[in-house]
Amino acid sequence: MRRNGPEGHGPVRFGPSAPGSGLPVVGELADVLAASAERSTGEPPGGGPELREAACGYWWRRGLRGRDDQVIAAPGPQPLLFALIAAHGGDVLMPRPCPAWWTPQARLLGRPAYHVPTPAECGGVPDPYALLETVRRVRAEGGEPRLLLLSVVDDPTATVAPPETVLEACEAAVAEGLHIISDETWRDTLHRPRETVLLSPAEMAPADVTVISDLAGALLPSGWPVAVARLPPTAEGTARRARALDILTALGATVAGPLAVTAAHALDEPGPVVVRAERATALHAALASAVHRTVLAAGALARPPRAGRHLYADLGPLRTRLADIGVNDSMELEEYLTGRLGTPVPGGHRFDDELGALRVRLATGPLLGATPHERLESLTSPAPLELPHVAGALSSLGTVLDELR
């Protein structure tokens, strides 16, 4: 089968930012952006006081106290992570699978990126014993592991790591001298927030953890790039923040003024923003559960989705039928399902998973509808799964998967 670009990594847009998958912009945020449109002065590198103070308030309400001089803002998570990796030095470790945008930042800096298996119950956090073994092996080979990336609320697996797993992984990392960068972009999208215990690594090891969050997740539309980071309240954290700011300055990676004002307003969590976030989370939770049932009914595997707007499916049990139609790895599976479903279905190789594993991420965004009217209807309906466009999309997914049994 034709493969998309070198090593299967073609320029395809995946996930919630794909065309036709976003919910309408919250009216209050649109009004704030419009009112700031004539602002001619740009934000300083790392963000201005208003944006940084709003980020402090956001984290304060979640039990992570800090000052605005511990915060950095950037126009999206990619330049922010790039600057933080560069500021720390050394080799980078991360779980397998991991968000698609993590590894490229390390590679751009010429840093080795080592992937560590995750425990059976969740993704996003490395198995502590596998982490210790990986650190030992890297050092034996002459490497210098210095940084661990993890995500307690994970993309792509849509799982939430149990507190005990987070604790054991963080203890292992800190004992080996690793600094932790915790991506908490999706922490506010828990499908059952009253039943799920979320523990940030920064609560356990405040001197050894940097928290990052892409606001174009739960708070802002996907096309409005703003990301923030909270560094540790230590002398070392201050020095690394200064280095990261130098890098963002050199890149010219500053947040646009009007967007900074809007992001600060969203971080203050006014009523309309909170209501929209809750409704969107409930909608995507219902869609993810329906996709999960569809995947299992077809004989494939997937962990139950606990957060986010996607599901990570393993079509390994359908390998025989897939081989009959020429699908033998995740790149070929991506191309096949993307063609059959008419929407991007990224294979596991995009997330640094094993190429031979037949895994894909199924996003819930495309199920919302093809037009703004359909997407708004999905958001406001008391029974979104019964809407014709939603039911039709789920039926199409079921039909495609059933053909592989």
Side-chain angles (χ1 to χ4, degrees), residues 121 125-129 131 163-173 204:
E121 66 269 19
V125 176
D127 178 89
Y129 297 103
L131 174 62
E164 58 272 18
T165 301
V166 179
L167 177 61
E168 291 173 0
C170 290
E171 286 179 339
M204 295 178 292

Side-chain angles (χ1 to χ4, degrees), residues 78-122:
Q78 292 88 349
L80 184 57
L81 182 60
F82 181 91
L84 290 170
I85 293 175
H88 281 80
D91 300 340
V92 184
L93 282 72
M94 56 189 77
R96 168 174 284 151
C98 66
W101 56 277
W102 282 8
T103 304
Q105 312 313 314
R107 288 177 176 167
L108 283 171
L109 289 163
R111 303 283 178 78
Y114 299 94
H115 293 87
V116 186
T118 58
E121 66 269 19
C122 68

Side-chain angles (χ1 to χ4, degrees), residues 38 167 314 345:
E38 295 184 0
L167 177 61
D314 183 354
V345 181

Side-chain angles (χ1 to χ4, degrees), residues 1 319-328 332 336 403-404:
M1 297 182 70
R319 183 177 293 274
T320 300
R321 172 58 181 151
L322 285 167
D324 290 341
I325 59 176
V327 175
N328 297 287
E332 293 173 342
Y336 175 78
E403 292 173 353
L404 303 175

Side-chain angles (χ1 to χ4, degrees), residues 241-386:
R241 180 179 183 272
R243 289 197 292 271
L245 284 175
D246 287 342
I247 294 163
L248 291 174
T249 301
L251 294 174
T254 59
V255 180
L259 196 52
V261 174
T262 310
H265 185 78
L267 284 165
D268 286 339
E269 299 180 288
V273 172
V274 172
V275 169
R276 165 58 66 83
E278 292 175 348
R279 289 179 177 174
T281 295
L283 171 60
H284 284 285
L287 294 173
S289 293
V291 172
H292 185 242
R293 292 191 295 270
T294 301
V295 167
L296 297 185
L301 303 173
R303 295 187 184 101
R306 303 299 186 194
R309 303 170 182 173
H310 48 269
L311 177 121
Y312 202 55
D314 183 354
L315 274 62
L318 311 178
R319 183 177 293 274
T320 300
R321 172 58 181 151
L322 285 167
D324 290 341
I325 59 176
V327 175
N328 297 287
D329 60 33
S330 64
M331 285 191 287
E332 293 173 342
L333 182 59
E334 172 187 298
E335 184 172 2
Y336 175 78
L337 290 178
T338 295
R340 291 287 283 113
L341 294 172
T343 188
V345 181
H349 61 286
R350 302 273 179 177
F351 311 101
D352 291 290
D353 210 342
E354 298 174 6
L355 177 62
L358 296 172
R359 301 187 184 110
V360 292
R361 187 183 71 171
L362 298 170
T364 52
L367 302 176
L368 298 174
T371 67
H373 173 75
E374 287 182 342
R375 294 192 288 274
L376 180 59
E377 189 179 17
S378 297
L379 180 66
T380 57
S381 173
L385 299 183
E386 298 176 9

